[in-house]
Amino acid sequence: MEIINFTILVLYPDFHIAGGRVTGCDFGMSDIILAEIYHLQEKLSQTIQQNKHDLPNFCLSKHGSKDLLTLKLFLELQKSENGRELNEILESVETQLLLNNEQLLEHLMASGGIENGNWTRALELLTQIYQTDPQFLLHPVRMKIGAAVALTFAMPVLSNAERQAKKEIDPIKRYKTFTTLHSASPSPLFDMFEGLSCWHMRHVVGSWAEDEELEWARQNTAEKFKSPEMIGKATHSMVEYRSSNDEGVSIHAGPAFYNHRPQTLELWSREGGVCGVVSRFGVALCQAHGVPAMPVGQPGHCALTWYDGRQWVLGNKIRGWDQTRFHRGIQVQWGRPALFHLLMAATGGRFLECEKMRVAASFLEPPESFAFLLSHVIPACPHNYDTWRDLLGLATQTQLIGPNVTFVDVAVWKPVSVSSTPGRASHITSTEADGAWWTGDESAWVEVDLMEPYTVDHVKIQWWGYSRPARFSVYATLQSGSSLVRTEQDQQEGEEGGNDCNKWIVLPGWVMETRKIRIELFDGKLDPWNKTRMFGIRHVQVFSALHQETAWHHRPNWADKVLSNEIMVQLTDRSRLQNVAEAKPVTVSDTEDRAQKITSKADGAWWTCNDTAWIEIDLQNTCTINQMKIHWWGYSKADRFSVFAITPDNGHVLVRTEDHQMLIAEEGGGDKNCNRWIRLEGWDTGTNRVRIELFEGHRDPWGKNRLFGVREVVLEGAVREVARDLGRCPGDELLEVGKVGGDLLCGNVLELLSEHGLFKGASGDMTFNGACIATIADLVRKLDKKSVSASEDPSVAALTVRLAEGGAWEPKAPKSWIEIDLGGLCVVRRVDITWFGNEQASETALVVETASGNEVISCGRDICVVGKKVRITFSGNGFVVN
């Protein structure tokens, strides 16, 4: 009891121990955790301020390291729904001993987390392991096995053999099995097992095979496969690949294929199966010998991956890492795409150091924290995805109102609906300095979807020009039903001040939690430039308070979009930008003999007499486009046009339309309508070809019958020196750090962020290799989030669409649907559905909402439809969309 007295009295000096429990106050749900967090934050706040000049070394020091890891654990425990049970666990002698062991804390905090956040269950399992084996804290390998079991079995691990009955594997038995195997002489586990990290061991002890099956596997594996390099290949010689059994029953009949017997490894070896059985059998063989492994999903296929001591190897595969994702039932660190697994693997031993510095960074002021992350934390471990998201979270903070609270614009890059001119809606929540939404209607509305509930502290609106409303109403919506929260009478002038042109206003916040904000506009003012615009909005910013104690693990939904669109656009100096279209090959819809004039510097032009036309420029490299300029021929310009970026995998992305064009006055000549130049903002999509589709042309006045004519197309941009699409790189090659114009100064990154209004504060002369930004940002770009709704369980459906953790949608109704809002017009080329297991919906239908109506098409085949929403309808029961 002395240990309890010592620990509790240090943390709670006003209380004393009676019978092993805290007295002097009535602790409620998770009050102990709250008190622990408060104590540690007070202590760390003072210590970090004293050690700011040498913060990395403080994070590695004995006391600093333990306090930072303990706070990280307690912040995770704070999320526990069963606080009273957690209090009882924390008060036990065993738990006090466990939490005082720094090496155990390191294993817990640097091994991938717990997907469902049930850290209470993990502590409970650790306590049981300690009661079973009091010596496990004294043995390094046993400690890693114990931590791996606690983290992995915090979520139920189901037996493959009894999966239909949902039988859970016993975690304590699993701990005993592997500690016994390791201590045996000679050990049946491969030598590599002892040197594995706790994170690697999670992929061993989490085997879906029963312990007796793993023993069978060790006894029946041929000697030629008993090495880390070969073990994953043994499955092909031990399991016959077949789709029906001896009685002619199809594998798709499920348990009937095996005559409803438990699907043990021995049965699979005798009866065979298809990809799922072959791969899961191979995974179990690896795990039986102490080799980390797991099943992974590929389109219409189940593969496996194992760690051979040097790298993670894909086996029984039909695709590469780009089209591989975690299998259902496997805990993940950052998301379902298997690329995240490679990122975590690449962190190596530096992940722990990085995590401690991330916690320490949360105690600094935003400018200092940003600089610390950029100059110390990212170089220490550039593959830690969380650090990049922290960096963007800090970059978007606007002002500090005290030591514990900051304001964050939670509307950045969120979806926007408008009453008219939808092509310009995204400008309202973008971070771009230029651009705006406008309309000539007599009344209008704008609606911002924050995508999750927030408490709104204040709202800032910047009007476009002089076109602002004399009256407006602001409505807030949480789930259903809107409440009027503000009107024009509540507005205050923004701090930006200035004249009446492009004026900012501020609206105070309100009490109710809000997911959608709708602004209705009345009594507009006509612009003075004869553009017939009654209302115009440049920006809507919605600020919510963010408490500093949660800032370090805050995951803003919009961070991915910001990282992709703002940092990836320009990693190089503007001086390195060039016309990447110059002298490049051009194909056209007709008049091919004049096509090359579009990208050459020679006089002349391309033209056509057709009602519609297209131009396609092959850049012969993957490029980032900063801006695009088009020089029309004569008066034969297009009133409507669409610009598509064609990606390395031949995807067509609609990036610009006529709504985005701006007249370049200085190049317009005497008659602004003849030989007119226009400019379009660039885009972040990696582009190999640019396609321009032309509609509604103007017939020339000289009797030549030409409807469209183009003198030149200029694409100002830069060739990506890390010229690889992550989705096409095998294995760890995607993690290579390449140079982008040499070392990128931290000050240049800050300047870039400042240009886009993302960051105001410290700059410095620290150096940092900016290529890592490109690598991570490309990965983030692949996870660009779209708004998802569904007939039931919309949050799970959204995770399924976004390939995120927890994404396995299992509707209960006989008729169900998922709808994806693409956030604007996009070219839909193909829609594929991956099913979990053998059951599929009896019928599926696909409806694409186009500009002119709805188009019903089929899933799983190549199509070409321009639409803004996709709805997939399902008929039947018992299926899971993976």
Side-chain angles (χ1 to χ4, degrees):
M1 301 302 290
E2 293 178 358
I3 294 174
I4 299 179
N5 274 310
F6 172 77
T7 306
I8 298 294
L9 286 175
V10 169
L11 298 181
Y12 317 110
D14 297 332
F15 309 124
H16 62 277
I17 303 301
R21 298 184 65 82
V22 180
T23 61
C25 72
D26 181 19
F27 278 101
M29 299 294 279
S30 67
D31 283 337
I32 287 181
I33 286 298
L34 293 175
E36 293 265 15
I37 290 173
Y38 175 78
H39 165 77
L40 281 170
Q41 285 178 331
E42 288 292 305
K43 177 181 177 182
L44 282 168
S45 180
Q46 296 176 11
T47 311
I48 287 174
Q49 293 304 316
Q50 295 169 0
N51 291 272
K52 278 200 299 187
H53 63 285
D54 195 18
L55 199 51
N57 284 332
F58 167 76
C59 295
L60 298 176
S61 67
K62 181 175 179 58
H63 296 295
S65 173
K66 185 177 178 183
D67 285 346
L68 291 166
L69 291 174
T70 303
L71 177 59
K72 186 176 190 295
L73 174 61
F74 285 160
L75 287 170
E76 294 290 350
L77 288 168
Q78 185 184 13
K79 305 170 189 174
S80 172
E81 295 181 358
N82 193 343
R84 194 164 298 281
E85 177 186 349
L86 178 57
N87 286 347
E88 293 176 359
I89 295 173
L90 289 171
E91 290 171 349
S92 71
V93 177
E94 293 89 348
T95 306
Q96 293 287 333
L97 283 170
L98 294 171
L99 297 185
N100 275 307
N101 189 296
E102 184 179 352
Q103 191 171 5
L104 180 61
L105 277 175
E106 291 179 351
H107 292 320
L108 293 176
M109 293 295 98
S111 301
I114 300 173
E115 188 173 333
N116 68 355
N118 195 354
W119 284 88
T120 301
R121 174 60 175 160
L123 276 188
E124 183 181 20
L125 287 174
L126 276 175
T127 302
Q128 293 176 16
I129 289 171
Y130 178 77
Q131 292 169 343
T132 301
D133 180 12
Q135 300 299 310
F136 100 102
L137 289 178
L138 304 177
H139 195 290
V141 177
R142 288 189 185 183
M143 186 190 297
K144 284 191 288 188
I145 296 172
V149 167
L151 291 169
T152 305
F153 285 80
M155 293 178 65
V157 177
L158 300 183
S159 164
N160 254 333
E162 303 285 352
R163 187 166 291 272
Q164 294 294 320
K166 296 187 177 181
K167 178 184 177 182
E168 296 183 18
I169 293 176
D170 183 349
I172 305 304
K173 181 181 179 183
R174 179 57 51 88
Y175 168 79
K176 291 179 179 178
T177 295
F178 276 94
T179 52
T180 300
L181 290 171
H182 173 256
S183 59
S185 183
S187 172
L189 304 177
F190 293 163
D191 292 342
M192 68 178 289
F193 179 77
E194 183 166 327
L196 292 176
S197 70
C198 180
W199 177 72
H200 283 97
M201 283 190 179
R202 292 182 66 173
H203 298 289
V204 177
V205 301
S207 177
W208 296 346
E210 301 272 6
D211 293 334
E212 295 76 15
E213 295 177 77
L214 296 176
E215 178 60 29
W216 177 90
R218 285 187 288 272
Q219 294 179 3
N220 287 274
T221 303
E223 285 298 322
K224 66 179 181 179
F225 293 112
K226 288 195 173 184
S227 70
E229 296 80 13
M230 295 297 296
I231 187 65
K233 301 176 182 179
T235 183
H236 298 291
S237 64
M238 298 178 69
V239 179
E240 181 184 356
Y241 201 101
R242 61 176 184 165
S243 58
S244 58
N245 63 17
D246 293 339
E247 286 73 39
V249 179
S250 169
I251 188 70
H252 299 295
F257 179 91
Y258 299 102
N259 199 22
H260 299 281
R261 291 170 291 177
Q263 295 182 37
T264 61
L265 297 179
E266 184 179 4
L267 180 68
W268 281 349
S269 182
R270 279 202 319 268
E271 303 291 338
V274 290
C275 58
V277 169
V278 172
S279 294
R280 283 181 284 167
F281 186 93
V283 168
L285 288 184
C286 293
Q287 294 165 328
H289 293 87
V291 173
M294 63 179 180
V296 290
Q298 295 179 341
H301 181 71
C302 180
L304 76 148
T305 181
W306 78 94
Y307 181 65
D308 67 1
R310 297 178 300 105
Q311 62 183 344
W312 286 85
V313 181
L314 274 178
N316 192 32
K317 62 182 180 179
I318 61 171
R319 305 289 176 89
W321 283 106
D322 61 307
Q323 298 187 56
T324 302
R325 61 179 300 191
F326 283 91
H327 198 288
R328 188 183 183 191
I330 301 292
Q331 288 193 48
V332 300
Q333 170 74 0
W334 293 308
R336 289 266 163 218
L339 294 173
F340 281 127
H341 189 70
L342 298 181
L343 279 180
M344 184 65 183
T347 62
R350 305 301 298 275
F351 184 77
L352 176 64
E353 176 186 351
C354 178
E355 286 298 282
K356 288 186 281 191
M357 289 197 288
R358 282 182 58 231
V359 180
S362 69
F363 288 88
L364 302 174
E365 298 292 329
E368 295 175 317
S369 182
F370 185 96
F372 180 66
L373 287 172
L374 192 64
S375 61
H376 290 89
V377 185
I378 288 176
C381 186
H383 301 108
N384 187 343
Y385 187 68
D386 281 332
T387 311
W388 293 99
R389 307 182 89 172
D390 288 348
L391 190 72
L392 263 294
L394 282 167
T396 50
Q397 290 183 24
T398 56
Q399 54 182 309
L400 197 67
I401 62 170
N404 296 317
V405 180
T406 56
F407 286 138
V408 175
D409 178 8
V410 295
V412 174
W413 290 113
K414 296 295 177 63
V416 182
S417 303
V418 291
S419 54
S420 59
T421 329
R424 304 197 64 82
S426 62
H427 288 294
I428 293 175
T429 57
S430 81
T431 57
E432 298 168 353
D434 296 331
W437 166 87
W438 48 63
T439 179
D441 296 343
E442 293 183 358
S443 63
W445 56 263
V446 169
E447 186 172 276
V448 180
D449 186 351
L450 303 179
M451 300 179 71
E452 60 181 273
Y454 288 97
T455 299
V456 177
D457 183 87
H458 63 282
V459 176
K460 297 173 71 174
I461 303 173
Q462 185 185 20
W463 307 112
W464 174 82
Y466 298 91
S467 299
R468 61 180 186 271
R471 293 189 303 113
F472 62 84
S473 301
V474 179
Y475 294 86
T477 302
L478 180 57
Q479 292 179 330
S480 61
S482 299
S483 299
L484 178 65
V485 290
R486 291 291 176 261
T487 69
E488 71 282 351
Q489 297 179 0
D490 301 303
Q491 65 181 314
Q492 304 165 9
E493 186 171 304
E495 294 178 3
E496 292 82 357
N499 56 30
D500 286 344
C501 187
N502 297 325
K503 192 177 186 67
W504 282 91
I505 65 165
V506 178
L507 298 170
W510 45 87
V511 175
M512 69 173 289
E513 281 199 316
T514 302
R515 173 169 175 153
K516 292 183 179 180
I517 296 176
R518 182 184 176 99
I519 308 169
E520 298 189 351
L521 310 172
F522 311 96
D523 300 342
K525 187 175 182 179
L526 194 63
D527 72 275
W529 303 292
N530 298 321
K531 297 181 181 292
T532 66
R533 295 167 186 169
M534 297 293 292
F535 305 100
I537 296 178
R538 287 189 176 276
H539 297 291
V540 172
Q541 298 175 341
V542 181
F543 292 91
S544 181
L546 173 66
H547 289 274
Q548 197 178 61
E549 56 264 27
T550 60
W552 73 272
H553 59 78
H554 181 62
R555 298 290 175 271
N557 286 341
W558 37 261
D560 291 351
K561 184 71 174 179
V562 175
L563 183 56
S564 172
N565 282 8
E566 301 303 333
I567 293 185
M568 187 55 197
V569 170
Q570 287 186 58
L571 287 175
T572 56
D573 294 335
R574 289 189 62 87
S575 60
R576 301 185 65 238
L577 296 174
Q578 57 182 308
N579 180 12
V580 294
E582 185 173 348
K584 295 299 171 60
V586 182
T587 54
V588 290
S589 52
D590 64 298
T591 326
E592 293 87 349
D593 58 314
R594 305 194 66 83
Q596 208 55 43
K597 295 184 180 295
I598 293 173
T599 58
S600 73
K601 289 295 184 181
D603 291 336
W606 166 87
W607 48 63
T608 178
C609 302
N610 291 337
D611 291 339
T612 61
W614 56 263
I615 297 167
E616 191 167 287
I617 303 170
D618 186 353
L619 304 181
Q620 300 182 320
N621 279 299
T622 302
C623 299
T624 294
I625 306 302
N626 182 63
Q627 71 171 346
M628 176 180 183
K629 294 192 289 188
I630 301 175
H631 190 188
W632 302 111
W633 173 83
Y635 297 89
S636 299
K637 62 182 180 65
D639 282 346
R640 287 198 307 114
F641 59 84
S642 300
V643 179
F644 294 88
I646 303 178
T647 61
D649 58 1
N650 205 37
H652 287 56
V653 181
L654 178 65
V655 289
R656 293 291 178 262
T657 68
E658 70 281 352
D659 286 336
H660 301 97
Q661 66 181 316
M662 290 168 278
L663 175 65
I664 306 177
E666 63 271 19
E667 300 182 52
D671 183 347
K672 69 176 183 180
N673 290 316
C674 186
N675 295 324
R676 183 177 186 174
W677 278 92
I678 63 168
R679 182 173 73 87
L680 301 163
E681 288 290 333
W683 51 87
D684 70 309
T685 304
T687 304
N688 279 40
R689 288 174 288 152
V690 173
R691 181 182 177 95
I692 311 167
E693 298 186 353
L694 308 173
F695 312 95
E696 300 178 12
H698 287 261
R699 201 173 306 278
D700 71 273
W702 303 295
K704 298 182 181 295
N705 199 33
R706 295 167 185 166
L707 282 168
F708 303 102
V710 176
R711 288 186 175 276
E712 186 179 4
V713 173
V714 175
L715 294 167
E716 182 187 273
V719 176
R720 292 190 179 179
E721 296 191 25
V722 185
R724 58 167 62 94
D725 181 347
L726 286 184
R728 303 174 65 182
C729 287
D732 290 340
E733 182 184 350
L734 72 95
L735 300 174
E736 255 179 46
V737 177
K739 294 279 186 179
V740 180
D743 288 338
L744 186 66
L745 291 178
C746 172
N748 289 349
V749 176
L750 295 176
E751 181 182 352
L752 174 64
L753 293 172
S754 297
E755 286 177 2
H756 294 284
L758 281 173
F759 182 71
K760 296 177 181 178
S763 61
D765 56 1
M766 295 84 71
T767 59
F768 175 65
N769 188 337
C772 296
I773 298 177
T775 303
I776 306 299
D778 265 339
L779 179 57
V780 172
R781 178 172 51 80
K782 289 192 167 293
L783 306 177
D784 190 14
K785 294 174 172 51
K786 304 295 184 186
S787 177
V788 179
S789 55
S791 56
E792 53 188 280
D793 292 335
S795 59
V796 177
L799 294 172
T800 303
V801 172
R802 297 168 186 163
L803 304 179
E805 58 270 24
W809 187 63
E810 187 174 4
K812 301 297 187 292
K815 297 282 188 180
S816 53
W817 54 266
I818 292 177
E819 184 172 277
I820 306 156
D821 187 342
L822 303 178
L825 288 175
C826 297
V827 177
V828 181
R829 291 281 177 179
R830 186 181 179 94
V831 176
D832 288 310
I833 302 170
T834 303
W835 309 97
F836 180 81
N838 301 317
E839 297 297 327
Q840 301 184 10
S842 57
E843 292 182 11
T844 58
L846 182 66
V847 180
V848 178
E849 181 181 330
T850 66
S852 58
N854 292 335
E855 186 167 343
V856 181
I857 52 182
S858 300
C859 296
R861 67 177 179 84
D862 293 332
I863 55 178
C864 185
V865 180
V866 178
K868 54 186 177 180
K869 288 184 181 179
V870 173
R871 175 176 284 218
I872 309 166
T873 61
F874 306 89
S875 300
N877 293 109
F879 63 89
V880 179
V881 180
N882 202 28

